[in-house]
Amino acid sequence: MIGDTPAGYSRVTACSTPCGTLARFPGSRPLGGPPKVLDKILLQIAAELKVRPAQVTAAVELLDGGATVPFIARYRKEATDGLDDTQLRELEVRLVYLRELAQRRGAILKSIDEQGKLTPELRAAIEAAPTKQELEDLYLPYKVKRRTKGMIAREAGIGPLADRLFADPTLDPRAEAAAFIAAYEGGAEALATAGFADALAVLDGVRDILSERWAEDAALVKTLREWLWDEGLFLSKLMDGKNEQDADVAKFRDYFDYDEPIRRVPSHRALAVFRGRTLEILDAKLVLDEEVVPGQPTLAEGRIAVHLGWSHAKRPSDDLIRKTIAWTWKVKLSLSLERDLFTRLREDAEQVAIKVFGANLRDLLLAAPAGKRVVMGLDPGIRTGVKVAVVSDTGKVLDTSTVYPHEPRRDWEGSIHTLGRLCATHGVNLIAIGNGTASRETDKLAADLIKRLQQIAPDTAIEKVVVSEAGASVYSASEYASKELPELDVSLRGAVSIARRLQDPLAELVKIDPKSIGVGQYQHDVNQSELARTLGAVVEDCVNSVGVDLNTASAPLLSRVSGLSAAVASSIVRWRDANGAFRNRRQLLDVAGLGPKTFEQAAGFLRIRGGDNPLDLSGVHPETYPVVEKIIAAVGRPVHELVGNADVIRKLKPEAFSDDKFGAITVKDILTELEKPGRDPRPDFKVARF
């Protein structure tokens, strides 16, 4: 039997989903079940991720059923056939995009159909559009918009004249326009009232009709957009009237006279130019590397002419058509395409920046923890002094102080004396130094302190480490910090945070908004909702890969556990304060607001040290405890002798304990976890020595 209360876990196995199947999700099926028609979206995602459609179907059903990515990646490997957290995150993002695309596609089809203009060819093109951009290109001619000059000209009946002149350039435009006026049903006066008093005005109407039609040609727009992305130059210059010597302006000196092919612009340069443009310091344009000859078509105009199948042959209408093409480019297309490509460049740059943010945050969160050591945190400062906080091996604040070794007091000896007393009183063996202002000077202070302590007691083992203090000031002034450390001044809370983040970076940094940790560039310039989503996913993945001590974790840390909301995390802390430490995982079901579904998502990531059941310290999910029962019966050893016994566990074959409910993949994970229960994936803590 497992521990003293195996029967208590019967409630867990009644949760919504066993480990190896989707059978308990409504409308779902195990892999390998009867085939069904797969949604087009799922087929597309499967092709993009290079996985089987059944894997995507299973993952989407789990996500739609409320499962989190960490839970699916860890405990539903058999359902998804081993999709990892990276694949699942990508799948989740694409699923949202493609569903939004499908919803927009449906709205566009409905709108065009209601106008009575939906042809089979147009429907096919809309249904095949792979991106939101191409979908909007197709919808542009049918979008309800304000009255344009082209609309007014069509209402006046000039449309057939425009079609005739373009179809047959041998016609004389002025003669055709005069004939149109003469034959106008309402008479010349009515035509003049509409704004077409003479032949020149009528030909302007022809130009407006043709240019609007061409500017709304989805194929032409797509061709020009791709060509400009390949050939265009991203150019920036200092705006007129700006003083180069101004400090804010000088920051953008590298971009006062800058150009680069737009397709090759690195993300940091793109974001820098866009920031300068927003601040009205830089003027940014999309240009082509060409010499414009008056009277000759530009490269863009030539592209439009080729697409239209027209060339200048000195026919009577050719000059009108050439001017109309030039008008189409200059007035209708150049600015809108520049806007589209700037949007693409910005979005691509933001994606790279956000990806760098996420990678840097992951490295910071998964940095090696110093563990249970008494730490002195030093928050450097010059005039305001160095704030000092000593925390116990469990993170409890033992003492605080402020010393003034630097300007203007220069009380070096007094500071050494105070720090030495604190080290001796509380048994400090690790010093964490914030990397902000006066960090180097404070590092010298710590080095001098350690040297003197070792002179007094040669066996003294104190080490110093400089740590990132990014976000410490944000935490200090936060509502959570005021509740956690109400007796401390805001200035001293930063020193506490610096000390604790050396003990356990993950547990301390989750108390701070990821965007305030300062692990990337241009964080205020990128899409804030996308940044928050990405960084939130990184924090969630990191927290759940490490696991959380149920009896010591703060509410912010618990709220990052799979399935736990901020409200449920607070309820867990309140239950813990009222009832004492959790003795086993099943007690979570006594917490207000935490039901079987939430338990299923969270239980495997929560750890209990010294509880009733040794498995509660491991990553073995309670729903699979019956599998461990079978293993115990087979090896003839109690659970406490089995856990961590690599010699015994490595001899076991996963297939021997698998069944229809829990397959070999799940059993293999269980054996791995039993061999090294609660294994921390983070590296061992080491102090650099020079």
Side-chain angles (χ1 to χ4, degrees):
M1 303 298 285
I2 303 174
D4 299 324
T5 55
Y9 286 98
S10 60
R11 296 168 66 184
V12 178
T13 56
C15 286
S16 62
T17 325
C19 194
T21 180
L22 290 175
R24 299 189 188 183
F25 271 104
S28 62
R29 63 182 178 83
L31 290 179
K36 67 176 184 179
V37 178
L38 289 171
D39 187 273
K40 179 182 176 182
I41 290 176
L42 306 187
L43 287 170
Q44 182 173 341
I45 293 174
E48 291 174 358
L49 296 182
K50 295 181 175 59
V51 298
R52 292 183 295 105
Q55 292 176 276
V56 176
T57 303
V60 170
E61 287 176 347
L62 286 163
L63 289 168
D64 288 345
T68 66
V69 167
F71 175 78
I72 298 170
R74 183 75 173 268
Y75 297 114
R76 293 295 180 263
K77 290 180 180 178
E78 284 173 326
T80 66
D81 199 17
L83 292 182
D84 60 30
D85 54 352
T86 302
Q87 290 172 307
L88 288 166
R89 289 291 180 197
E90 188 175 349
L91 183 154
E92 188 178 37
V93 171
R94 289 298 289 160
L95 181 65
V96 170
Y97 179 89
L98 292 174
R99 280 179 169 171
E100 289 176 353
L101 181 66
Q103 186 175 12
R104 179 60 177 159
R105 180 181 286 117
I108 287 174
L109 286 170
K110 181 180 178 183
S111 174
I112 300 175
D113 192 31
E114 288 174 349
Q115 297 174 42
K117 299 176 181 178
L118 185 60
T119 64
E121 295 78 15
L122 180 58
R123 176 186 289 277
I126 290 173
E127 289 180 344
T131 66
K132 293 178 181 178
Q133 179 73 72
E134 292 184 36
L135 195 58
E136 296 302 329
D137 287 346
L138 290 167
Y139 183 45
L140 186 59
Y142 309 96
K143 187 179 293 185
V144 178
K145 42 188 174 287
R146 62 179 177 78
R147 277 166 57 82
T148 63
K149 291 181 178 180
M151 287 181 184
I152 295 170
R154 281 194 296 273
E155 290 168 1
I158 300 176
L161 174 61
D163 294 338
R164 197 160 61 250
L165 290 174
F166 179 65
D168 185 4
T170 62
L171 297 174
D172 184 338
R174 284 180 175 270
E176 292 295 322
F180 172 80
I181 295 172
Y184 194 70
E185 288 185 3
E189 289 184 6
L191 194 59
T193 302
F196 304 98
D198 54 30
L200 289 177
V202 170
L203 292 178
D204 283 345
V206 169
R207 178 201 64 196
D208 293 331
I209 290 172
L210 292 176
S211 63
E212 284 186 18
R213 181 185 303 165
W214 297 339
E216 293 176 351
D217 183 334
L220 173 61
V221 171
K222 180 181 179 182
T223 298
L224 289 174
R225 188 185 290 123
E226 292 175 350
W227 170 66
L228 287 171
W229 183 257
D230 289 335
E231 302 294 335
L233 290 176
F234 185 54
L235 178 147
S236 73
K237 291 185 179 296
L238 181 66
M239 291 186 73
D240 294 339
K242 295 297 179 181
N243 182 2
E244 295 185 19
Q245 305 307 315
D246 183 277
D248 291 332
V249 174
K251 294 177 183 177
F252 298 92
R253 183 177 290 108
D254 290 345
Y255 305 101
F256 288 173
D257 187 15
Y258 158 78
D259 66 77
E260 187 169 6
I262 189 169
R263 71 181 187 280
R264 295 209 301 260
V265 177
S267 65
H268 63 280
R269 288 208 277 269
L271 291 173
V273 171
F274 285 131
R275 177 184 288 183
R277 189 188 192 207
T278 301
L279 295 174
E280 297 184 347
I281 294 171
L282 298 176
D283 184 19
K285 288 188 172 79
L286 179 65
V287 299
L288 287 163
D289 187 8
E290 64 175 322
E291 184 177 346
V292 178
V293 179
Q296 294 296 318
T298 64
L299 292 174
E301 292 163 12
R303 290 262 168 176
I304 296 173
V306 169
H307 178 83
L308 297 174
W310 170 88
S311 61
H312 200 301
K314 297 182 180 181
R315 294 163 294 187
S317 289
D318 279 341
D319 280 344
L320 172 65
I321 296 172
R322 180 181 62 77
K323 291 176 181 178
T324 302
I325 288 174
W327 180 271
T328 303
W329 170 248
K330 183 178 180 180
V331 176
K332 300 291 185 181
L333 288 174
S334 61
L335 293 178
S336 65
L337 289 173
E338 178 185 81
R339 186 167 57 249
D340 290 348
L341 293 182
F342 278 11
T343 299
R344 175 178 173 180
L345 178 62
R346 177 185 282 279
E347 289 176 351
D348 289 351
E350 287 181 358
Q351 285 182 4
V352 173
I354 290 172
K355 186 176 181 181
V356 171
F357 259 100
N360 291 345
L361 178 62
R362 186 183 302 276
D363 291 342
L364 198 58
L365 293 176
L366 295 181
K372 291 184 173 296
R373 298 174 68 172
V374 179
V375 181
M376 173 188 287
L378 301 180
D379 187 358
I382 298 179
R383 294 184 180 279
T384 57
V386 177
K387 275 66 71 178
V388 185
V390 180
V391 299
S392 70
D393 57 359
T394 60
K396 180 181 178 182
V397 180
L398 300 176
D399 212 334
T400 60
S401 183
T402 303
V403 296
Y404 300 88
H406 314 309
E407 297 290 348
R409 299 194 190 183
R410 300 176 63 182
D411 183 18
W412 191 271
E413 293 301 322
S415 300
I416 291 288
H417 174 76
T418 300
L419 298 178
R421 176 179 56 79
L422 291 172
C423 287
T425 302
H426 302 292
V428 172
N429 51 37
L430 197 57
I431 300 174
I433 305 159
N435 67 344
T437 304
S439 175
R440 291 185 179 182
E441 294 84 348
T442 305
D443 184 61
K444 291 179 182 177
L445 177 71
D448 193 8
L449 170 66
I450 293 171
K451 179 180 178 181
R452 297 194 192 191
L453 289 174
Q454 289 176 339
Q455 288 174 347
I456 298 171
D459 59 343
T460 299
I462 298 181
E463 298 173 306
K464 62 181 178 67
V465 181
V466 176
V467 301
S468 169
E469 63 177 44
S473 59
V474 175
Y475 163 77
S476 301
S478 68
E479 181 181 356
Y480 181 77
S482 65
K483 292 179 180 178
E484 187 180 34
L485 304 169
E487 72 285 353
L488 290 186
D489 182 79
V490 172
S491 63
L492 291 169
R493 292 173 188 166
V496 174
S497 180
I498 289 169
R500 286 176 173 173
R501 64 177 62 186
L502 187 58
Q503 289 179 320
D504 191 338
L506 183 61
E508 190 64 22
L509 290 172
V510 293
K511 300 175 184 176
I512 305 167
D513 183 343
K515 290 186 288 186
S516 300
I517 297 177
V519 290
Q521 292 180 310
Y522 303 102
Q523 71 179 63
H524 300 296
D525 296 295
V526 302
N527 184 299
Q528 294 301 293
S529 60
E530 181 63 20
L531 177 64
R533 187 201 65 78
T534 299
L535 298 187
V538 169
V539 175
E540 183 182 43
D541 289 344
C542 290
V543 168
N544 290 286
S545 69
V546 171
V548 172
D549 190 321
L550 183 56
N551 286 320
T552 62
S554 63
L557 182 57
L558 287 168
S559 70
R560 298 292 188 169
V561 173
S562 167
L564 297 185
S565 64
V568 173
S570 297
S571 294
I572 291 173
V573 173
R574 284 195 297 272
W575 191 98
R576 197 171 65 196
D577 292 342
N579 300 281
F582 286 89
R583 296 297 305 166
N584 52 66
R585 283 169 168 166
R586 67 182 175 83
Q587 286 182 302
L588 281 165
L589 291 164
D590 297 329
V591 174
L594 200 157
K597 182 64 180 178
T598 303
F599 183 95
E600 177 193 49
Q601 295 292 312
F605 303 104
L606 297 168
R607 311 280 186 263
I608 298 175
R609 298 183 184 280
D612 299 333
N613 190 335
L615 292 180
D616 287 347
L617 180 58
S618 73
V620 177
H621 198 287
E623 69 187 4
T624 60
Y625 284 4
V627 177
V628 183
E629 292 277 7
K630 291 167 64 176
I631 296 172
I632 290 171
V635 300
R637 293 171 181 261
V639 67
H640 65 272
E641 291 185 14
L642 177 64
V643 173
N645 192 333
D647 292 337
V648 172
I649 293 171
R650 288 178 183 176
K651 294 177 182 177
L652 302 175
K653 302 294 183 183
E655 295 77 11
F657 305 99
S658 62
D659 53 29
D660 293 339
K661 190 174 182 181
F662 303 114
I665 296 176
T666 300
V667 178
K668 183 179 179 181
D669 283 349
I670 292 171
L671 294 175
T672 300
E673 192 62 37
L674 290 176
E675 184 179 343
K676 295 181 178 179
R679 180 179 62 86
D680 194 326
R682 294 174 292 182
D684 294 332
F685 180 78
K686 295 179 181 179
V687 177
R689 302 186 183 282
F690 300 95

